[in-house]
Amino acid sequence: MIKFNHLKKTFGKNEVLIDINGEIKKNEVVVIIGPSGSGKSTLLRCLNLLETPTGGEIIFDDLILTELNESKVNNLREKMGMVFQNFNLFPNLSVIENLKIAPIKVKGMNPEEAHNQAVKLLGQVGLSDKEKSFPASLSGGQQQRVAIARALAMNPKVMLFDEPTSALDPEMVGEVLKVIQDLAETGMTMVVVTHEMGFAKKVADRVIFMDAGYIVEEGTPEQLFDYPQHERTKSFLAKVL
């Protein structure tokens, strides 16, 4: 579904991604792990061109994203749901309005259909009772679940998660990971950047380990966690497991 070839990203003199190659297959859950500053989030943000790569190409749905104009990029972004670390909900809108606004304004969905879809999605993430609440009254875990529902409201083909639990209190992490795990079981194609190794072991079809701007190693959770090949992977896992 997504291919990236010879991807590079520099910020000034800082090389964040160095000749990255890979692909995400349809219905696959790919989890990206690695130390802070390894380029994980930058890679994720390049996939939907929130960051413009310095070099290389990204192919999504047989289109070369890196060659498209801005309006076509926006059309493609609708097919990639993005969930951020810090929720990014509209604070002045109720939970249900947060879910309805993009389908109505961007996709031209009629308000009744958007409302019905929003109600269904809130049920899916376990927040049916929070329709009229405002983001500030919700816990971090609840806000992140609303953010996931909001991304799903655009009926994306792929979901990108950028450290979705790193801003949460430890006891709220589980409720958000459960929603992502349930989504994985529906066959949604997903790319998840996370520090949650237990989640990676349980949910990923494939785990990518990044360090210093490179993909160092990748494989099934069993291959990567139980039989890592590269010394850098071994030393990282020894610290985090």
Side-chain angles (χ1 to χ4, degrees):
M1 188 176 271
I2 308 174
K3 284 186 88 160
F4 38 100
N5 303 318
H6 304 297
L7 212 54
K8 295 182 176 67
K9 178 65 183 174
T10 55
F11 295 100
K13 290 183 176 170
N14 185 14
E15 288 188 296
V16 180
L17 297 177
I18 305 162
D19 199 30
I20 296 268
N21 297 283
E23 63 178 5
I24 313 296
K25 299 185 182 79
K26 192 173 183 212
N27 307 123
E28 187 178 35
V29 179
V30 176
V31 174
I32 306 175
I33 63 170
S36 296
S38 57
K40 308 182 297 291
S41 291
T42 302
L43 172 58
L44 195 76
R45 293 169 70 87
C46 281
L47 294 183
N48 67 355
L49 299 190
L50 281 177
E51 296 287 359
T52 307
T54 312
E57 65 177 12
I58 298 161
I59 302 162
F60 174 59
D61 258 8
D62 300 323
L63 286 167
I64 301 174
L65 294 198
T66 31
E67 293 178 359
L68 297 180
N69 64 34
E70 188 60 29
S71 71
K72 285 193 173 152
V73 167
N74 284 334
N75 289 343
L76 276 159
R77 278 201 194 117
E78 289 175 32
K79 297 177 185 174
M80 288 191 186
M82 182 94 180
V83 177
F84 300 90
Q85 233 168 314
N86 298 321
F87 328 131
N88 289 11
L89 297 172
F90 297 111
N92 57 328
L93 296 181
S94 69
V95 163
I96 198 143
E97 294 295 339
N98 261 284
L99 267 65
K100 285 159 57 175
I101 186 167
I104 293 170
K105 292 203 173 217
V106 180
K107 285 197 142 179
M109 194 182 271
N110 80 55
E112 187 185 358
E113 192 185 344
H115 181 86
N116 292 340
Q117 175 183 265
V119 169
K120 186 176 159 204
L121 286 168
L122 285 176
Q124 190 177 326
V125 299
L127 291 170
S128 295
D129 59 334
K130 299 295 183 187
E131 278 185 28
K132 295 186 169 70
S133 302
F134 282 81
S137 71
L138 303 180
S139 71
Q142 289 169 333
Q143 288 187 61
Q144 192 60 294
R145 285 188 278 154
V146 173
I148 293 169
R150 182 181 63 176
L152 291 172
M154 295 297 283
N155 294 313
K157 288 188 169 185
V158 59
M159 287 283 283
L160 308 175
F161 293 90
D162 188 9
E163 300 196 17
T165 58
S166 65
L168 300 179
D169 292 334
E171 66 265 29
M172 291 172 189
V173 168
E175 67 191 58
V176 172
L177 294 181
K178 171 81 171 69
V179 168
I180 300 172
Q181 189 175 346
D182 290 347
L183 196 53
E185 285 165 10
T186 69
M188 174 65 79
T189 308
M190 303 201 287
V191 187
V192 186
V193 170
T194 186
H195 292 290
E196 298 292 332
M197 299 301 146
F199 170 80
K201 278 184 179 179
K202 197 179 339 181
V203 178
D205 296 304
R206 188 155 48 93
V207 181
I208 292 174
F209 171 65
M210 289 185 69
D211 186 44
Y214 292 97
I215 290 177
V216 176
E217 190 171 342
E218 61 182 293
T220 64
E222 186 188 25
Q223 286 167 335
L224 200 101
F225 288 111
D226 298 341
Y227 307 102
Q229 301 299 304
H230 198 283
E231 285 309 318
R232 183 66 190 96
T233 318
K234 290 176 188 173
S235 74
F236 174 76
L237 292 174
K239 289 179 187 146
V240 298
L241 291 179

